């Protein structure tokens, strides 16, 4: 099978296309090997520090996992990556990057073959600041808002299938810049209602929670409001200001459909509580004969922070006596 390539930035376009009747399955439908997200912890390592990168993968047999069986990993990084049509080939060699770094060795571009990888920030921040301002031989336009954009590439292989995914890690330009913390998804739940009383049921890794087929049910991600950090950014007029992070929540499911592929929080525009809830309509038995289905939620902030949570439910043909799905 030919390698498949994905990029985090493509997700937005795919989400928009998912709303059209294109004949394709929705972007958030899980059916085959997928790299759902890459996370760096911390997202913006300071000079002299390091970050650990990990990935959330999905396989039909094992669901969502950071280290599924029978999958091989190949991590690498590059300060000046190429385009997708050339496999994101690096625009400089390690020797050239080390020479530009005043002879101080940069981290090996090969980050290893484990489920996680470590990237040390050993590049002189003064050099990165100069590159961001523009210098001969460097790309003409580099978006250094939030740090220098280093590319991390992951190639995963399972059987005869290979997927290449790239993500961006922002290397801090100044040691005084506070680190960004990853969003935390503490849990998942479903909401049912009987006699006007709503009951929230935990959606855990085991399928103890129940959803009724072909009935729209509220599902929620438990994310503490404290994950929304305030930082020095830009206001709507692009002027320096203290602003709150934006969050994007992607709802992946194995079956049926969700009201939204993604929900969002924007301070003063889109409420936090609304971003953490969605509605899931599992399919009819004839369309999905399995009795259980998985759901995966990925939360991203606009500064490179990524967090996730996975769960599973049992699918029912009719409403249980104790509860009915909550009304929309």
């Amino acid at each position: 099978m030919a390698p498949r390539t994905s990029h985090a930035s493509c997700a937005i376009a795919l989400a928009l296309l998912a709303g059209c009747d294109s004949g394709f399955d929705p972007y958030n439908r899980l059916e085959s090997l997928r790299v759902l997200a890459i996370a760096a912890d911390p997202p913006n390592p300071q000079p002299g520090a390091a970050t650990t990168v990990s990935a959330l993968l999905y396989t039909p047999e094992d669901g969502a996992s950071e280290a599924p069986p029978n999958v091989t990993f190949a991590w690498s990084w590059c300060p000046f990556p190429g385009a997708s049509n050339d496999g994101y080939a690096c625009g400089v060699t390690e020797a050239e990057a080390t020479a530009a770094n005043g002879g101080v060795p940069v981290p090996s571009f090969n980050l290893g073959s484990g489920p996680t990888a470590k990237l040390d920030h050993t590049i002189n921040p003064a050099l990165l600041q100069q590159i961001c301002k523009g210098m001969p031989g460097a790309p003409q336009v580099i978006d250094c808002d939030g740090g220098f954009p280093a590319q991390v590439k992951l190639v995963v292989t399972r059987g005869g299938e290979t997927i290449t995914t790239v993500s961006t890690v922002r290397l801090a330009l100044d040691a005084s810049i506070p680190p960004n913390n990853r969003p935390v998804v503490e849990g998942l739940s479903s909401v049912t209602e009987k006699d006007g009383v709503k009951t929230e049921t935990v959606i855990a890794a085991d399928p103890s929670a129940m959803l009724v087929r072909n009935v729209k049910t509220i599902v929620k991600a438990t994310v503490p409001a404290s994950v929304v950090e305030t930082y020095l950014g830009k206001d709507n007029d692009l002027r320096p200001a203290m602003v709150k992070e934006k969050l994007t929540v992607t709802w992946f499911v194995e079956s049926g459909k969700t009201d939204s592929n993604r929900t969002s929080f924007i301070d003063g525009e889109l409420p936090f509580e609304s971003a953490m809830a969605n509605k899931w309509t599992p399919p009819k038995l004839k369309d999905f004969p399995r009795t259980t289905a998985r759901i995966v939620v990925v939360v991203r902030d606009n500064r490179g922070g990524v967090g996730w949570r996975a769960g599973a439910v049992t699918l029912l043909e009719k409403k249980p006596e104790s509860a009915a799905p909550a009304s929309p």
Side-chain angles (χ1 to χ4, degrees):
M1 181 179 293
R4 291 191 282 130
T5 302
S6 63
H7 193 289
S9 63
C10 296
I12 296 175
L14 288 170
L16 294 175
L17 289 173
C20 304
D21 186 12
S22 58
F24 295 100
D25 288 328
Y27 165 75
N28 66 333
R29 178 76 57 76
L30 298 175
E31 295 181 324
S32 59
L33 176 65
R34 294 273 297 272
V35 177
L36 303 181
I38 292 178
D41 191 10
N44 58 334
Q46 295 183 327
T51 187
T52 299
V53 289
S54 59
L56 181 65
L57 275 63
Y58 169 83
T59 65
E61 296 83 1
D62 301 292
S65 170
E66 296 178 32
N70 304 317
V71 174
T72 61
F73 295 76
W75 294 93
S76 60
W77 83 282
C78 175
F80 296 115
S84 59
N85 58 8
D86 63 4
Y88 301 102
C90 201
V92 296
T93 65
E94 286 184 35
E96 291 170 334
T98 295
N101 198 35
V104 178
V106 299
S108 171
F109 286 178
N110 183 350
L111 296 179
S113 57
T116 65
K118 179 183 177 184
L119 174 60
D120 294 296
H121 182 357
T122 61
I123 301 179
N124 187 341
L127 171 63
L128 296 181
Q129 292 171 20
Q130 184 59 49
I131 295 174
C132 290
K133 293 178 181 177
M135 59 187 300
Q140 295 298 309
V141 179
I142 298 181
D143 177 12
C144 290
D145 188 17
F148 180 83
Q151 177 184 275
V152 171
K153 180 168 71 172
L154 172 62
V155 180
V156 295
T157 303
R158 177 176 176 269
E161 188 171 15
T162 297
I163 298 178
T164 299
T165 307
V166 295
S167 186
T168 298
V169 173
R170 296 278 177 177
L171 304 179
L173 304 177
D174 188 329
S176 66
I177 298 175
N180 177 25
N181 295 309
R182 291 178 57 185
V184 176
V185 186
E186 296 181 340
L188 298 172
S189 61
S190 64
V191 180
T192 55
E193 181 178 345
K194 182 180 180 181
D195 299 329
V197 178
K198 292 184 178 180
T199 302
E200 196 163 332
T201 303
V202 172
I203 298 178
D206 67 286
S208 55
M210 297 177 288
L211 262 65
V212 182
R213 292 180 182 273
N214 202 36
V215 173
K216 186 177 295 188
T217 302
I218 297 171
V219 288
K220 297 175 62 177
T222 303
V223 177
S226 59
V227 304
V228 179
E229 298 178 294
T230 301
Y231 66 101
L232 180 60
K234 295 179 180 178
D235 61 19
N236 292 335
D237 296 320
L238 301 181
R239 295 174 300 190
M242 298 302 295
V243 297
K244 288 187 176 182
E245 288 178 328
K246 301 174 183 177
L247 299 181
T248 301
V249 184
T250 307
W251 305 78
F252 295 98
V253 294
E254 286 185 317
S255 70
K257 61 182 180 180
T258 56
D259 275 14
S260 303
N261 289 345
R262 282 183 170 84
T263 53
S264 300
F265 162 73
I266 300 177
D267 186 43
E269 298 181 34
L270 298 174
F272 183 85
E273 293 77 12
S274 297
M276 302 307 153
N278 204 344
K279 293 173 183 175
W280 180 13
T281 307
K284 298 178 180 179
L285 181 63
K286 65 181 182 66
D287 297 322
F288 188 79
R290 285 169 45 190
T291 58
T292 63
R294 301 182 181 101
I295 178 172
V296 184
V297 171
V298 177
V299 179
R300 294 177 172 86
D301 67 38
N302 62 307
R303 298 194 293 157
V306 183
W308 50 64
R309 174 73 65 164
V313 301
T314 294
L315 302 177
L316 303 177
E317 276 292 277
K318 61 181 180 178
K319 301 176 184 178
E321 293 295 329
S322 59
S327 57

